[in-house]
Amino acid sequence: MKKKGQSNQGAPAGGSGNTATRAENQAVLNISNNLEQTLGNIKRELGSSPDLKIRKFQIGSAEPVWVAAVFMDGLINAVAVDEFVMGALFDNSADAAEEMPREPQERLQLILDRALELGEIAVKDDWNDMMLSLLSGNTIILLDGCSKAIEGGTKGGEWRTVAEPSSQIVIRGPKDSFVESIITNIALIRRRIKSPTLWTEFMKIGTVTNTDVALLYMKGRAEDKVVDLVRMRLKKINIEAVLESSYIEQLIQDKLFTPFPTVYNTERPDVAAANLLEGRVVLIVDGTPFVLVVPTVLAQFLQSTDDYTQRFDSATLMRLVRYMSLIILLLGPSVYIALTTFHYEMVPTPMLISLLAQRENVPFPAAIEAMIMEAAFEILREAGTRMPRAVGQTVSIVGALILGTAVVEAGIITPVMVIVVALTGIASFAIPSYNLAVAGRIIRFGFLVAASMFGFYGITLGLIVLIAHINSLESFGTPYLAPLSPFSIRGQKDTLARLPMFTIDLSPEKLGNMNNDNKSGNDQGTSDSGKDGRTGA
Amino acid sequence: MDGQVLKLWKLLAISGLLLLQTGCWDSVELNRRAIVSGVSIDKGLTEDKRYSVSFQVIVADEITGKNSRGNAPVALYKGSGRSIYEAFGNASRQSARILSLGHSKVIIISEDLAREGIRDLMDIFERESDMRLSTLVFVSRGQRAEDILSVMTIFGKIPANDLVQKLETGNRSFGYNFRIEVDDVIRGILAKEGGAIINGVIVKGDLEAGGTKSNLEGIKPKAILKNAGLAVFKQDKLMAFQDGTEGMGLSLIHNKQKEYPLLLELGKNESATFSMFKVHTSVTANAKDPEHPVIYISTQQQAALKEYNGSLDISKSSVLRNWEKLLSEETKKEIDAAVKAAMRLNSDYIRFNETVNRVNPKGWKRVKGRWDTIFTQCEVHIKVNTLIRHTEMRTRSLKSSGEGVE
């Protein structure tokens, strides 16, 4: 950890860091006047990879000039390369052949001006820039005798098409989800918000992977302060590889030692768009369909698109059900333990008699019993997640048999415990956000221990600690429990209940208010805790 | 920094171990408990065994479990001692599990103990944190209290629950017994001028057979638990049991009777029986002169005709209006009987003291010490207002002419 910290300080942050490290390894490479030499250098640097394609040809009839088009197979749009680069070069340069100038610079200009039929074109004179462009799927056009390269935007290749979301499913609402391509993802959002105030910034993160990260926000809605903070934290990231947005999430989150997620993620473009409209910042990472949303609050993890596509009354009911599920998930087994081992007088007598009869020949104390069952359930769930789809059925059958019937028949576990554990398990699935459900699953075990030691007293103490902890959390300057704490009447319209549409406006005040409430203290607080979080990692 | 992390882990590990050191406070697994459903207190046989206390313990396996052996659903553990807790200790020693009082439904006190005074034995029921103040209290009328707890019952298997349900069902419609909890009894005892009221209970039938399964084998149970009258106390000493009209009147004065049946004699072999409902009684006083307070008891009630064998045309409202007057008279008689009985026993368990105290607190302080003499000379005005709501599904009776003859 120490080493990493030191190198952090040594290397300049962000994009310039890439070039610096690259330059160390490949000290003296640059685009040479000699075409053969340049091509040789490219091949050497890429280790003569077979997917590197070089097409050499001549243009101009009077005084033919050697030209090379270099591209990576599979990363390019083959049609674009064939028609608009090669085809255009042949046709148009033939037309222009009579006036082909002798000066290499002018030839380059001529090709740029007259020959290439591409929308995206640039001139590169830096070797590393050129290589990065090549590896991003662009076509590089090199001219013999010229020390500059033309970059033609021919990015393409195979991507998964836009499909239905797999992790955030709704009854009614848009059925598209983000894909792995950052450009497609931005387009999916832009299609929903056709406003010039939707601003996008690009940066590359990852010294090796050079992953594109897009920062989206709505100018005027998002607070500049928050945007600056996000930008600053992104710039500070020094990591070799970014393969998923969670890499970024873990590096920009406010606090490390908390089970609660302080960065929201979604694979739904409509959710991302709604958050942009509410003044939040969206981060899209190339190569993953999950985009990040900051700042976030706890309530957001219990919301779903369905809350807005259904009528307000049913939406409110469903939302309350989710809050209840969270409470059941956290406290279900522990309340059962507390009731049966400490506070038996609180159970209604007929129920107590039935519990007594069930417990009669069970070998383990209730707390151990709960631990066993919860652990078994977690194993089953983990197995179910990783299991190849073909055997998935087997797991559920075996699991249902083992947990549901056999364990009870064998007299190891009481039937009530099965009910309690099953209820907790189902409650964890009712929470729309997977990472909040995971947090609940972890904390549940803490409560289990507290309840088996001290009964309801322990649960109460645990709750105090838990709420104090949640209350101490912040996400990019926004208190995590907002709008419950600090309390805001305006925010209540869409927190526990969802009031009718006409009362809810998406204007960013909802978020802005909370930040303004304690503007002075927050800036310092967040940046500090942000630092702590990262050095801890 | 690594050092810090190590320190943190050490701290966590140590505090985790400390947690284990405490043991599990007062955690008791359910299968270490014996749930007591009822407690009975009898007079002990000798002086050093003042109380003989029985605990009715639920055998859960016999009630719901698949492992039922077909035995009695409850068991009685009995212990005696100089105090109730000592007796409890003695009884506990016979049980393999911890006797847990948290679910006790009833406390039964034997009549002879109640006549001697119950002040001493009520202390534990309020002091012991496991017991509930809402536990019902009964007096076993002329029988040993433990006999009440050893009757097999038809519904619900647990005799204590059966008793509670009988009381509640009875109070809803016909009986005059009402819920009297530990809390009520203690408050009754503490009023110097008054006294407690406690429900009476008896076992009707064969006591011996009642405790075995043979009680349930026939269609006619051999022994049956039954509420029997209200035991009225002067302070903590039982004075008398009040049944019939007096009992009903007592229940009415306390505003505990929501529904009850009333029969009107209408000449030879003719009667009309009503179900009284929405009964509400309030007691107020005029105590400007606390030496001679005037008590007003006012009852509002509605009635429905349930049974009629006379020949009057009850579609006429004049008939009904007349009956209303008669009904009011009947109710008034019941209340009057209860008041007279209380005055005769010279115990203000009908709580006139509270009423006077409420309307004239200063005056009450003056007469407080002499209330037992004033109480017996109180002027009592009883006003009953009855309204016959309906005559149910028929108008004229089968006897009256013109209908049901052909």
Side-chain angles (χ1 to χ4, degrees):
Chain A
M1 248 182 265
K2 261 181 191 166
K3 266 185 203 165
K4 207 173 181 182
Q6 279 167 355
S7 76
N8 262 359
Q9 287 170 348
S16 56
N18 303 344
T19 35
T21 38
R22 219 174 239 275
E24 280 165 28
N25 303 336
Q26 314 275 334
V28 283
L29 284 180
N30 45 35
I31 307 167
S32 129
N33 282 339
N34 186 335
L35 181 61
E36 284 304 323
Q37 195 186 334
T38 310
L39 292 177
N41 282 342
I42 293 176
K43 270 191 200 163
R44 218 174 8 262
E45 188 166 354
L46 290 174
S48 305
S49 289
D51 58 341
L52 172 71
K53 301 290 177 197
I54 298 174
R55 172 77 165 88
K56 256 168 56 174
F57 53 93
Q58 282 185 312
I59 56 169
S61 48
E63 260 180 276
V65 181
W66 279 104
V67 176
V70 187
F71 54 87
M72 302 299 289
D73 201 11
L75 293 182
I76 47 114
N77 182 343
V79 177
V81 173
D82 289 351
E83 278 190 25
F84 305 123
V85 180
M86 316 288 266
L89 276 173
F90 280 120
D91 295 350
N92 298 337
S93 64
D95 295 348
E98 285 83 61
E99 41 196 292
M100 182 65 82
R102 298 187 63 91
E103 198 55 38
Q105 281 301 327
E106 286 171 28
R107 282 183 195 152
L108 187 85
Q109 200 56 45
L110 186 80
I111 291 174
L112 278 178
D113 292 347
R114 304 269 299 270
L116 289 172
E117 295 176 354
L118 283 168
E120 193 187 332
I121 251 171
V123 176
K124 300 272 172 190
D125 45 14
D126 181 78
W127 177 265
N128 290 317
D129 276 2
M130 185 195 75
M131 288 306 286
L132 188 56
S133 172
L134 173 64
L135 291 168
S136 303
N138 292 325
T139 303
I140 304 294
I141 298 156
L142 294 161
L143 258 80
D144 193 21
C146 177
S147 63
K148 282 182 182 165
I150 302 172
E151 171 206 279
T154 55
K155 284 180 192 166
E158 291 300 314
W159 288 108
R160 193 168 61 92
T161 51
V162 175
E164 276 195 43
S166 57
S167 67
Q168 289 176 312
I169 295 156
V170 294
I171 308 284
R172 179 177 166 182
K175 298 273 186 191
D176 57 344
S177 90
F178 286 125
V179 293
E180 283 75 7
S181 157
I182 188 166
I183 296 298
T184 314
N185 289 352
I186 293 173
L188 285 172
I189 293 178
R190 277 225 189 263
R191 257 177 224 164
R192 288 183 164 78
I193 307 174
K194 297 180 196 74
S195 162
T197 56
L198 175 60
W199 285 18
T200 309
E201 288 172 25
F202 266 75
M203 50 182 87
K204 287 199 188 299
I205 298 178
T207 52
V208 174
T209 57
N210 287 303
T211 310
D212 285 317
V213 175
L215 184 145
L216 276 75
Y217 59 95
M218 294 204 68
K219 188 68 185 168
R221 285 182 178 247
E223 263 188 282
D224 292 339
K225 202 182 58 162
V226 174
V227 178
D228 289 345
L229 189 61
V230 175
R231 203 182 287 127
M232 189 195 80
R233 288 196 191 169
L234 286 175
K235 290 242 169 77
K236 269 193 187 168
I237 293 176
N238 192 315
I239 187 174
E240 289 195 324
V242 175
L243 298 178
E244 218 278 334
S245 54
S246 68
Y247 287 50
I248 305 281
E249 175 182 340
Q250 289 167 52
L251 291 167
I252 61 168
Q253 67 189 357
D254 288 82
K255 198 168 192 172
L256 175 69
F257 288 107
T258 174
F260 289 95
T262 49
V263 176
Y264 186 74
N265 70 71
T266 180
E267 58 167 340
R268 300 186 59 86
D270 55 319
V271 173
N275 278 302
L276 283 168
L277 290 167
E278 285 176 6
R280 294 196 171 87
V281 177
V282 168
L283 295 175
I284 305 179
V285 177
D286 198 21
T288 174
F290 292 94
V291 309
L292 305 178
V293 179
V294 288
T296 186
V297 291
L298 181 64
Q300 200 178 0
F301 291 89
L302 291 156
Q303 294 175 354
S304 156
T305 303
D306 271 330
D307 291 355
Y308 304 97
T309 56
Q310 303 292 340
R311 286 173 45 80
F312 79 97
D313 44 6
S314 65
T316 300
L317 177 70
M318 285 307 121
R319 196 174 278 182
L320 290 178
V321 165
R322 281 182 228 133
Y323 277 95
M324 211 171 66
S325 313
L326 182 63
I327 292 169
I328 292 175
L329 169 62
L330 288 177
L331 301 180
S334 46
V335 164
Y336 173 73
I337 299 294
L339 278 179
T340 52
T341 55
F342 287 88
H343 316 282
Y344 77 105
E345 65 276 354
M346 285 178 74
V347 186
T349 315
M351 189 174 161
L352 183 76
I353 292 167
S354 134
L355 292 181
L356 265 173
Q358 288 178 22
R359 276 217 64 81
E360 201 58 47
N361 292 312
V362 172
F364 303 111
I368 303 290
E369 202 186 349
M371 285 287 186
I372 292 174
M373 279 307 278
E374 292 290 356
F377 188 81
E378 290 297 326
I379 291 170
L380 202 71
R381 171 158 33 195
E382 187 60 19
T385 326
R386 309 274 166 262
M387 193 66 92
R389 218 162 271 168
V391 273
Q393 202 74 16
T394 328
V395 179
S396 50
I397 292 169
V398 170
L401 279 180
I402 291 179
L403 293 187
T405 327
V407 165
V408 173
E409 298 261 306
I412 301 170
I413 304 287
T414 57
V416 186
M417 187 54 84
V418 176
I419 296 173
V420 170
V421 170
L423 191 67
T424 340
I426 291 167
S428 77
F429 293 123
I431 296 168
S433 162
Y434 178 77
N435 40 3
L436 182 67
V438 173
R441 276 154 59 188
I442 297 170
I443 297 166
R444 174 185 58 165
F445 283 101
F447 275 111
L448 203 54
V449 172
S452 57
M453 296 269 175
F454 307 110
F456 273 136
Y457 181 61
I459 294 180
T460 314
L461 289 184
L463 278 176
I464 292 172
V465 171
L466 180 70
I467 289 169
H469 171 71
I470 300 177
N471 208 12
S472 77
L473 292 179
E474 269 187 358
S475 171
F476 289 82
T478 302
Y480 198 50
L481 270 184
L484 296 171
S485 155
F487 190 79
S488 122
I489 292 278
R490 255 185 80 103
Q492 298 310 311
K493 289 177 191 166
D494 189 19
T495 304
L496 291 172
R498 203 278 276 171
L499 297 192
M501 244 348 156
F502 68 86
T503 66
I504 300 175
D505 55 317
L506 288 168
S507 74
E509 258 178 277
K510 184 175 157 191
L511 232 107
N513 266 350
M514 292 167 221
N515 288 343
N516 291 343
D517 282 344
N518 32 18
K519 206 161 201 164
S520 51
N522 260 347
D523 289 11
Q524 206 56 39
T526 19
S527 48
D528 277 355
S529 57
K531 256 183 230 158
D532 287 351
R534 267 197 299 286
T535 40
Chain B
M1 179 151 167
D2 285 345
Q4 273 180 355
V5 171
L6 197 68
K7 227 181 214 172
L8 190 75
W9 274 114
K10 272 184 187 164
L11 201 73
L12 275 176
I14 290 170
S15 49
L17 289 174
L18 278 176
L19 213 58
L20 293 176
Q21 284 297 303
T22 61
C24 281
W25 199 11
D26 50 2
S27 156
V28 178
E29 290 296 327
L30 278 186
N31 47 11
R32 295 282 304 119
R33 283 193 189 278
I35 307 295
V36 175
S37 58
V39 182
S40 77
I41 305 161
D42 280 297
K43 217 168 141 180
L45 298 171
T46 56
E47 192 54 37
D48 60 325
K49 287 187 177 157
R50 198 170 156 202
Y51 300 114
S52 161
V53 186
S54 301
F55 299 90
Q56 189 187 74
V57 173
I58 298 170
V59 187
D61 257 357
E62 296 299 334
I63 293 168
T64 58
K66 279 175 253 170
N67 311 326
S68 170
R69 288 173 292 190
N71 300 336
V74 291
L76 211 61
Y77 287 106
K78 195 170 156 187
S80 49
R82 285 162 296 176
S83 70
I84 298 193
Y85 198 74
E86 195 177 73
F88 173 69
N90 282 334
S92 286
R93 247 173 282 153
Q94 304 162 29
S95 161
R97 295 187 179 179
I98 302 160
L99 291 183
S100 307
L101 295 170
H103 280 267
S104 314
K105 297 277 177 211
V106 297
I107 296 166
I108 312 218
I109 302 166
S110 74
E111 186 181 335
D112 43 358
L113 207 55
R115 286 198 186 274
E116 282 175 18
I118 56 172
R119 194 183 295 275
D120 299 344
L121 58 91
M122 291 314 287
D123 180 80
I124 186 173
F125 296 120
E126 194 167 44
R127 195 182 297 280
E128 162 66 293
S129 61
D130 231 15
M131 288 292 284
R132 294 183 183 210
L133 284 181
S134 60
T135 310
L136 297 181
V137 187
F138 292 86
V139 170
S140 69
R141 197 166 173 177
Q143 287 168 330
R144 282 186 66 77
E146 61 166 288
D147 290 339
I148 309 292
L149 289 185
S150 20
V151 179
M152 294 272 255
T153 52
I154 295 150
F155 295 112
K157 293 194 179 174
I158 302 169
N161 279 1
D162 182 81
L163 193 54
V164 174
Q165 280 168 14
K166 272 178 184 159
L167 181 73
E168 280 165 357
T169 318
N171 184 229
R172 258 181 88 99
S173 46
F174 301 117
Y176 42 81
N177 293 86
F178 52 93
R179 281 184 69 96
I180 295 164
E181 301 169 353
V182 170
D183 195 41
D184 301 319
V185 173
I186 288 172
R187 242 178 288 169
I189 292 173
L190 290 181
K192 272 209 178 71
E193 315 77 23
I197 305 176
I198 301 182
N199 286 306
V201 61
I202 53 164
V203 181
K204 217 177 91 186
D206 184 355
L207 275 180
E208 279 300 308
T212 63
K213 248 171 48 183
S214 70
N215 191 30
L216 308 176
E217 275 162 4
I219 288 174
K220 286 184 187 165
K222 288 175 181 142
I224 231 165
L225 274 176
K226 192 170 171 290
N227 284 305
L230 286 160
V232 294
F233 286 64
K234 183 164 174 74
Q235 288 193 31
D236 69 323
K237 290 190 176 58
L238 192 149
M239 302 297 284
F241 282 94
Q242 303 208 325
D243 304 284
T245 42
E246 288 169 357
M248 186 58 84
L250 198 54
S251 179
L252 283 170
I253 291 175
H254 282 86
N255 195 21
K256 295 288 184 189
Q257 205 62 35
K258 297 295 158 215
E259 258 183 82
Y260 66 99
L262 203 58
L263 183 138
L264 282 185
E265 295 276 3
L266 302 165
K268 204 183 173 196
N269 289 334
E270 275 192 22
S271 70
T273 314
F274 294 85
S275 164
M276 315 302 289
F277 59 98
K278 289 199 173 174
V279 186
H280 181 85
T281 307
S282 58
V283 182
T284 53
N286 180 351
K288 280 196 185 118
D289 176 11
E291 306 282 342
H292 303 95
V294 186
I295 309 288
Y296 296 97
I297 300 173
S298 142
T299 300
Q300 306 284 329
Q301 57 188 1
Q302 300 188 11
L305 184 62
K306 289 286 179 186
E307 197 176 339
Y308 178 52
N309 58 5
S311 51
L312 291 170
D313 178 8
I314 55 176
S315 58
K316 283 185 188 153
S317 72
S318 61
V319 175
L320 297 182
R321 296 292 90 81
N322 186 38
W323 282 355
E324 282 174 359
K325 273 183 207 130
L326 294 174
L327 283 169
S328 295
E329 278 306 307
E330 282 299 313
T331 307
K332 195 172 164 183
K333 262 186 229 163
E334 290 185 340
I335 295 173
D336 193 48
V339 173
K340 291 266 160 56
M343 285 177 168
R344 195 173 60 240
L345 294 167
N346 196 8
S347 169
D348 188 5
Y349 51 80
I350 46 180
R351 297 192 194 154
F352 287 174
N353 53 355
E354 281 177 21
T355 315
V356 173
N357 190 356
R358 216 169 9 243
V359 296
N360 188 355
K362 277 184 192 159
W364 166 250
K365 272 187 194 129
R366 280 212 304 277
V367 299
K368 207 169 150 187
R370 292 170 285 129
W371 182 251
D372 45 352
T373 54
I374 296 169
F375 170 65
T376 50
Q377 286 148 22
C378 267
E379 194 181 330
V380 181
H381 292 280
I382 303 164
K383 201 180 133 209
V384 182
N385 196 346
T386 310
L387 176 72
I388 298 177
R389 262 285 164 226
H390 54 81
T391 59
E392 294 276 348
M393 311 288 281
R394 285 184 65 87
T395 48
R396 279 167 289 192
S397 75
L398 297 175
K399 202 189 258 180
S400 71
S401 56
E403 215 189 310
V405 181
E406 54 265 61

